Amino acid sequence: MQRFYRRAIKDILENRFLTAITVVTIALSILIAAAFALFFVNAGDMLNLWQKGMRMMVYLKASTSEAERLDTKFRLQGIAGVQEAVYISKDEALTRLKEQMQHHSALLENLKENPLPDSFEITLQPSARNSEELRFLAERIQALPGVAEVEYGQQWIQRFTHIINLFSLAGYAIGALFFMATLFIVANTIRLVLYSRRDEIEIMRLVGATDRFIKIPFYLEGMIQGGAGTVIGLGLLYAGYSALALHFAPGLAGGMIQLRFFSVGASAAAILGGTLIGWLGCWVSLKQFMK
Amino acid sequence: MTEENADAIIRMFHVHKRYGAKFALKDLSLDIYKNEYLFVTGRSGAGKTTLLRLLYLGEEVSEGQVLVDGLNLSRIARNRIPQLRRKFGIIFQDYKLIPTKTVFENVALVLEVAGRKPSLIAKKVKSVLRMVGMEDRIDAYPQSLSGGEQQRVAVARAAAGDPKIILADEPTGSLDEESADVIMSFLDTFHSRGATIIIATHDKELLERGHARIIQLRDGQLWSTETV
Ligand SMILES: Nc1ncnc2c1ncn2[C@@H]1O[C@H](COP(=O)(O)OP(=O)(O)O)[C@@H](O)[C@H]1O
Ligand SMILES: [Mg+2]
């Protein structure tokens, strides 16, 4: 096996220029595809975070009696999809508002009367965190006596989800495209190398070399190119990511959202994948060449 | 197949070889015996090279059958062809050295494809190169060698794997006297060690070295056989 490695390395060195072009092209393909993947990973994180923190506010009509309030709470908790309903009195709401507006609380000090309604803050069960369920839930709650208004940040989350879905579709298409491109590039490089060595291969056969003996170094070559290209592509992406993250992460939702790179496992899987593409590209051209 | 002669290492039965409509060999039947020294002669275009090529499946017969050391070449599986070829040491008319490999690597190749150990390969390669007087040029590349020197390397490569049969196509074709002598005595050595030697040549002088069977081809047919 060591001998085959030596032959593969020798081949790579002898075809330095061709190998370099191949590796760089693979690296660029991987870079672009991985950049997309990384975007989805982080956008997905964001979406999850928002959905997890998603709440529904149920505002009660003014002049609701204690009994009506208790009845409403009881009914709310009976509705499927509601995890918890916490009562927030209008006084409490005002206190919260004042806390949030620290510097401008003077504005509120002068109020003669609390303009805020009593309300319930509803935490949703995970199963209810999609737009269909949400709308249905909101309608049911709206129909309860004593409820003045139901508010939830549905619209924009829904739109965001749509955009992400659209992007991920484009992402899959681009991924497939770059997969094909990488395969094609490796297959062509190996084909060129095979072509430039056809006399040598013929001589090897005449002196009794098996197909296996002839093919193994080419497979190694393809795999080394695929693996190296992926490592370089991911490395470039990491460099770009680090620079961007340093600049923008603190500004993102006040540091609430943590940007992340691919995990070590995912990176290793990608490198393995690149190596496999190299193998596959080699397989394609050898199949044509050796018939 | 009837075993008329158990000592035959190669048997050809009514072999025809056509290139398009043109016959290169016509109805050739021939037994070649173990440890025989055989010259195949005839004018240029008589079919000598074609005959050799049929033996190691460099070409397939158009008709007839060829048996080599018990293998029927019309029925051999593709993945066993390397096994067939390792029975031969072949000295090609155009040498067929690999230009990107050194003298050492060229000779070592036949031992590598047979899966020999690196330590054994180094020893064996040096020993055969010494026998043809090329031990000083071990790291040279073929293009830096003269025709005669390349021929000697090709001969060393053919013998390195201790093949049962050595095929030589015009081994002294365009050589100086000294190289020709080196090569012929090298082949004699392997003959005395038990190898079967088959030499295609139109060089009349070679035939006078004695102790061989000489067959003559004419227009692809077996014309005459004599033993000297
Ligand atoms: N690959 C080929 N294609 C077509 N004709 C060929 C081929 N090889 C040999 N021939 C023809 O077959 C005949 C025998 O050739 P060859 O065996 O090379 O003769 P020799 O080696 O005795 O000079 C010649 O007429 C030659 O032109
Ligand atoms: Mg010839």
Side-chain angles (χ1 to χ4, degrees):
Chain A
M1 207 56 205
Q2 213 187 339
R3 177 166 74 221
F4 291 126
Y5 271 110
R6 233 178 292 132
R7 249 170 68 202
I9 299 290
K10 196 177 168 217
D11 237 31
I12 286 175
L13 292 179
E14 274 171 17
N15 299 292
R16 237 166 290 155
F17 186 64
L18 198 60
T19 306
I21 290 181
T22 309
V23 170
V24 167
T25 323
I26 294 172
L28 288 178
S29 298
I30 296 286
L31 174 64
I32 295 170
F36 261 87
L38 194 61
F39 172 77
F40 295 132
V41 165
N42 284 292
D45 275 2
M46 244 176 251
L47 198 62
N48 256 336
L49 194 72
W50 283 328
Q51 282 185 338
K52 228 178 262 166
M54 200 151 77
R55 278 168 173 64
M56 196 177 264
M57 292 305 296
V58 177
Y59 299 106
L60 300 179
K61 287 174 185 153
S63 72
T64 315
S65 72
E66 174 88 10
E68 276 173 324
R69 181 168 62 71
L70 284 173
D71 183 52
T72 309
K73 173 160 183 160
F74 182 73
R75 289 193 192 203
L76 280 175
Q77 279 170 337
I79 295 175
V82 175
Q83 195 163 50
E84 211 188 349
V86 177
Y87 177 65
I88 298 169
S89 70
K90 55 183 178 184
D91 296 336
E92 229 174 297
L94 189 64
T95 319
R96 278 196 192 183
L97 192 61
K98 280 179 180 167
E99 273 168 19
Q100 276 171 16
M101 298 182 61
Q102 287 170 21
H103 304 294
H104 310 287
S105 55
L107 285 173
L108 299 172
E109 298 296 345
N110 299 330
L111 288 172
K112 283 196 206 84
E113 198 180 314
N114 184 350
L116 298 173
D118 292 325
S119 63
F120 283 102
E121 189 184 57
I122 293 179
T123 328
L124 301 165
Q125 278 169 0
S127 59
R129 284 181 199 145
N130 65 66
S131 52
E132 296 288 297
E133 291 288 324
L134 269 176
R135 197 163 36 182
F136 185 55
L137 200 62
E139 273 168 22
R140 287 183 69 184
I141 294 171
Q142 183 77 67
L144 292 179
V147 171
E149 206 185 335
V150 181
E151 199 183 272
Y152 59 104
Q154 189 231 338
Q155 231 85 43
W156 67 270
I157 283 193
Q158 197 178 347
R159 211 170 296 149
F160 190 71
T161 311
H162 276 317
I163 292 173
I164 292 268
N165 284 344
L166 212 71
F167 262 100
S168 67
L169 212 66
Y172 285 128
I174 287 172
L177 206 71
F178 279 97
F179 172 84
M180 300 291 283
T182 309
L183 194 69
F184 181 77
I185 295 157
V186 175
N188 261 300
T189 311
I190 299 287
R191 202 201 320 274
L192 283 176
V193 174
L194 280 170
Y195 192 73
S196 71
R197 317 224 130 190
R198 63 196 184 285
D199 291 341
E200 180 178 336
I201 289 170
E202 185 53 29
I203 292 170
M204 284 181 164
R205 283 178 152 169
L206 287 175
V207 300
T210 57
D211 282 356
R212 205 182 84 93
F213 182 90
I214 294 169
K215 284 175 181 173
I216 285 178
F218 289 109
Y219 276 122
L220 289 176
E221 217 173 301
M223 285 162 72
I224 290 171
Q225 288 173 349
T230 311
V231 168
I232 293 172
L234 286 181
L236 288 175
L237 184 62
Y238 187 72
Y241 160 85
S242 299
L244 277 178
L246 209 65
H247 266 83
F248 294 111
L252 271 174
M256 271 276 290
I257 295 158
Q258 280 268 301
L259 286 182
R260 61 181 174 131
F261 198 68
F262 301 118
S263 67
V264 175
S267 304
I271 293 167
L272 196 76
T275 310
L276 242 124
I277 295 179
W279 181 90
L280 202 63
C282 189
W283 183 80
V284 168
S285 54
L286 277 171
K287 204 166 166 60
Q288 290 172 348
F289 190 84
M290 309 274 282
K291 338 139 240 145
Chain B
M1 281 313 128
T2 53
E3 285 291 314
E4 282 170 42
N5 196 323
D7 277 348
I9 192 165
I10 291 170
R11 312 195 71 183
M12 302 179 86
F13 298 93
H14 302 289
V15 168
H16 297 256
K17 178 64 189 174
R18 275 188 307 269
Y19 289 109
K22 187 176 181 309
F23 277 95
L25 286 178
K26 231 183 270 177
D27 198 22
L28 184 78
S29 292
L30 178 67
D31 280 355
I32 301 171
Y33 305 104
K34 283 192 178 122
N35 199 215
E36 197 178 1
Y37 210 119
L38 179 75
F39 283 107
V40 181
T41 64
R43 263 185 233 133
S44 176
K48 306 182 291 293
T49 299
T50 303
L51 194 159
L52 298 190
R53 286 170 62 81
L54 292 178
L55 299 181
Y56 59 86
L57 278 179
E59 289 287 351
E60 285 175 36
V61 298
S62 306
E63 263 174 66
Q65 294 217 20
V66 180
L67 280 104
V68 175
D69 199 23
L71 292 173
N72 184 337
L73 303 198
S74 348
R75 288 209 223 117
I76 195 169
R78 189 184 187 286
N79 62 5
R80 294 194 51 194
I81 293 177
Q83 212 176 315
L84 167 76
R85 290 184 177 158
R86 287 178 210 163
K87 293 179 189 295
F88 293 99
I90 310 172
I91 304 159
F92 299 95
Q93 197 164 0
D94 55 354
Y95 319 141
K96 292 205 193 299
L97 298 177
I98 298 171
T100 55
K101 288 185 188 290
T102 63
V103 166
F104 179 91
E105 289 165 343
N106 265 284
V107 178
L109 180 66
V110 288
L111 298 163
E112 278 170 8
V113 302
R116 299 286 162 75
K117 284 204 199 77
S119 56
L120 184 136
I121 292 176
K123 227 162 67 187
K124 186 76 193 174
V125 171
K126 282 175 191 150
S127 128
V128 284
L129 284 173
R130 199 174 308 121
M131 286 174 76
V132 294
M134 290 296 292
E135 72 270 32
D136 296 336
R137 309 300 309 272
I138 225 163
D139 292 321
Y141 284 88
Q143 67 266 30
S144 70
L145 304 177
S146 73
E149 287 172 325
Q150 289 185 32
Q151 181 77 303
R152 290 196 216 177
V153 175
V155 171
R157 181 180 67 184
D162 284 318
K164 288 186 171 177
I165 308 159
I166 294 182
L167 303 180
D169 199 354
E170 314 281 2
T172 58
S174 49
L175 291 189
D176 53 286
E177 195 92 350
E178 193 209 327
S179 285
D181 279 346
V182 169
I183 285 166
M184 291 314 289
S185 66
F186 182 85
L187 291 179
D188 288 345
T189 307
F190 279 86
H191 179 245
S192 68
R193 288 183 190 173
T196 305
I197 312 283
I198 304 171
I199 301 173
T201 185
H202 60 260
D203 183 352
K204 290 281 188 308
E205 278 181 41
L206 272 191
L207 307 180
E208 281 149 25
R209 294 173 63 93
H211 235 66
R213 179 158 61 129
I214 302 168
I215 64 167
Q216 194 183 359
L217 296 179
R218 194 173 281 189
D219 295 332
Q221 285 180 295
L222 189 57
W223 184 259
S224 68
T225 302
E226 65 176 311
T227 305
V228 292

